[in-house]
Amino acid sequence: MVRTQEQQALLHLVREVSRRQIAPRADQHEAEATFPAELFALLAELDLLGLPFAPEDGGGGQPPEVVCQVLAELSRSFLAVGLGASVHLLATGVVARHAARDVRADILPRLISGEWLAAYSLSEPDSGSDAASLTTRAERDGDIYLLNGTKAWVTHAGQADCYVMFCRTGAHRTRGITALLVPAGTEGLEFPPAERKLGLRSSPTGQIVCRDARVPARYRLGEEGEGFGIAMAALDTGRLGIAACAIGLSRAALHAAIAYARSRRQFGRPIGAFQGIGFTVADMASAIEAADALCQRAAAADAGRPASTLAAMAKLVATDTAMRVTDSALQIHGGVGYTSAYPVERYLREAKVLQVVEGTNQIQRIVISRNVMGDLDDEEG
Ligand SMILES: Cc1cc2nc3c(=O)[nH]c(=O)nc-3n(C[C@H](O)[C@H](O)[C@H](O)COP(=O)(O)OP(=O)(O)OC[C@H]3O[C@@H](n4cnc5c(N)ncnc54)[C@H](O)[C@@H]3O)c2cc1C
């Protein structure tokens, strides 16, 4: 929950900027699949790309609850911006926690100020939900690592200034994975054309092909073999961010549905006066509030390091809510909802991806069930 006057002023500012400067740019960027660089520059100007980090590092020192509310506001106006900010904060968090002192001193201020955009590269073509099966190799050769392999599905691939990349340095499934900070200009990196997606088109998603890419060993994040744990801990925070994005998107859909239900008349009355529509709106509004309460609870659970179970629950509930709410919003619009004359068809397309990224919702259910029931496979033997 927002407590201080400063936090209230911050949220007011974000709301105003989102409505006036970010929302009006969404349709064109999505239609043309262009990266909204000018909007990330705006976030940087407003110091929003370093919000959760310590003031002594130049960050905003804001708790996760406030960061989630900011991400929700941004996503309510333009999901690609809210989600992009969330990914940047997730990757920047890994640098803040695990970079060597000199690298941290050099890179972190650029990320916190928004001069540099960060990305998070865990997935590969053959390694998605089973992240520990990744095969991109990082071989130590003196004071460099030599990277070979293909990373996939990287948000901001080709646009980011650096990539927090997870590579194989040993045979052990999880303890053979190491995190590296890979600057975009590293020789040996190739960025094939971005994926063509159902939605979120202005947020580039693509592969990074590494062919003998040479990364200085001092750019390692954490110790060799610690990468899998680092990746999973970062995802706890990331999942909260995705939950917040889903809440913002759901609010946009609810708002659009209410406006349409008040203005559209059939049978001589606004359609919102029909109980069938009113009950749908009631269910949408209630589900959003419930998801938001869970997200805030997860955010408050452990400042900066949310409990895995609550983060997974928040991601699951908020993104499933976004899917249902955006579907209902389109239904309330009838035929025009299926056209690009109204934003609800975009909201529906955008909601779908939130059930997939940062662990599909099946994977969230696996995390939650294991944590509440224990690992039953372990008990069999
Ligand atoms: C737009 C977009 C942006 C992305 N951004 C990033 C990014 O920035 N960085 C990054 O590293 N990755 C990113 N990803 C990748 C994303 O995290 C993966 O797509 C996701 O983890 C699923 O992996 P997969 O696509 O390989 O699906 P798979 O793992 O192949 O899964 C296919 C289906 O099987 C189900 N499944 C798999 N295993 C199980 C199981 N044990 N039990 C039940 N069901 C199961 C899945 O839930 C899914 O429905 C992005 C993806 C998209 C679409």
Side-chain angles (χ1 to χ4, degrees):
M1 285 297 132
V2 176
R3 291 192 187 89
T4 69
Q5 278 191 342
E6 184 207 353
Q7 289 167 346
Q8 280 170 8
L10 168 69
L11 282 170
H12 179 73
L13 172 75
V14 173
R15 204 167 293 140
E16 286 300 302
V17 167
S18 297
R19 305 277 153 82
R20 290 179 204 274
Q21 290 171 261
I22 296 179
R25 307 283 301 133
D27 278 340
Q28 192 183 351
H29 276 300
E30 281 299 309
E32 296 172 2
T34 47
F35 179 67
E38 81 285 6
L39 299 181
F40 282 91
L42 177 64
L43 299 190
E45 204 178 295
L46 297 170
D47 289 330
L48 297 180
L49 293 173
L51 268 190
F53 303 104
E56 50 273 28
D57 288 325
Q62 292 298 332
E65 297 99 302
V66 173
V67 176
C68 283
Q69 290 179 49
V70 168
L71 293 175
E73 277 302 335
L74 297 174
S75 303
R76 181 173 175 167
S77 293
F78 190 177
L79 182 67
V81 171
L83 184 134
S86 178
V87 169
H88 171 83
L89 296 180
L90 154 78
T92 300
V94 177
V95 176
R97 281 193 291 278
H98 300 287
R101 190 183 298 196
D102 60 329
V103 175
R104 189 181 190 278
D106 179 23
I107 308 286
L108 191 60
R110 303 183 203 204
L111 296 174
I112 284 180
S113 68
E115 178 196 339
W116 273 23
L117 189 63
Y120 175 91
S121 176
L122 177 65
S123 304
E124 296 183 356
D126 294 324
S127 167
S129 302
D130 183 9
S133 67
L134 65 83
T135 58
T136 294
R137 275 175 297 123
E139 281 170 276
R140 184 77 186 249
D141 181 8
D143 58 1
I144 60 149
Y145 282 97
L146 211 54
L147 271 52
N148 279 289
T150 301
K151 305 303 288 184
W153 303 109
V154 185
T155 297
H156 298 157
Q159 288 290 343
D161 298 284
C162 65
Y163 299 87
V164 171
M165 194 180 282
F166 298 89
C167 299
R168 185 152 295 287
T169 48
H172 191 278
R173 240 174 83 78
T174 52
R175 292 196 298 278
I177 294 174
T178 298
L180 293 166
L181 177 67
V182 182
T186 302
E187 214 178 300
L189 296 186
E190 290 166 26
F191 299 94
E195 307 291 344
R196 291 157 60 109
K197 305 197 297 291
L198 175 69
L200 206 69
R201 291 178 183 145
S202 55
S203 170
T205 312
Q207 292 190 343
I208 306 175
V209 180
C210 308
R211 287 189 219 282
D212 285 339
R214 296 162 70 86
V215 177
R218 65 194 182 92
Y219 279 13
R220 194 180 63 216
L221 299 164
E223 295 301 320
E224 213 167 86
E226 285 183 354
F228 191 72
I230 291 172
M232 293 302 115
L235 281 181
D236 285 345
T237 308
R239 286 169 182 166
L240 262 187
I242 298 299
C245 293
I247 289 160
L249 181 65
S250 301
R251 288 203 175 114
L254 174 67
H255 180 78
I258 292 171
Y260 193 77
R262 292 170 74 97
S263 66
R264 173 70 174 170
R265 297 180 72 86
Q266 289 292 282
F267 302 98
R269 311 161 70 190
I271 59 166
F274 299 118
Q275 197 179 54
I277 300 281
F279 279 12
T280 302
V281 169
D283 286 345
M284 293 161 75
S286 305
I288 295 168
E289 288 307 316
D292 188 38
L294 179 54
C295 181
Q296 288 290 308
R297 160 114 168 75
D302 187 355
R305 295 293 305 273
S308 296
T309 315
L310 281 170
M313 287 174 172
K315 198 267 183 184
L316 172 67
V317 170
T319 61
D320 281 357
T321 295
M323 200 65 234
R324 281 197 304 275
V325 164
T326 54
D327 183 33
S328 296
L330 195 153
Q331 190 69 21
I332 286 173
H333 280 69
V336 295
Y338 199 65
T339 73
S340 54
Y342 285 82
V344 284
E345 59 85 30
R346 171 161 72 80
Y347 298 155
L348 179 70
R349 289 185 286 107
E350 290 177 340
K352 187 64 219 172
V353 81
L354 299 176
Q355 294 182 308
V356 173
V357 292
E358 302 204 13
T360 65
N361 282 6
Q362 286 95 328
I363 296 303
Q364 308 309 319
R365 288 181 172 94
I366 290 173
V367 171
I368 297 162
S369 62
R370 265 196 202 142
N371 289 354
V372 300
M373 288 201 298
D375 192 341
L376 301 181
D377 282 341
D378 276 356
E379 289 168 19
E380 275 174 14

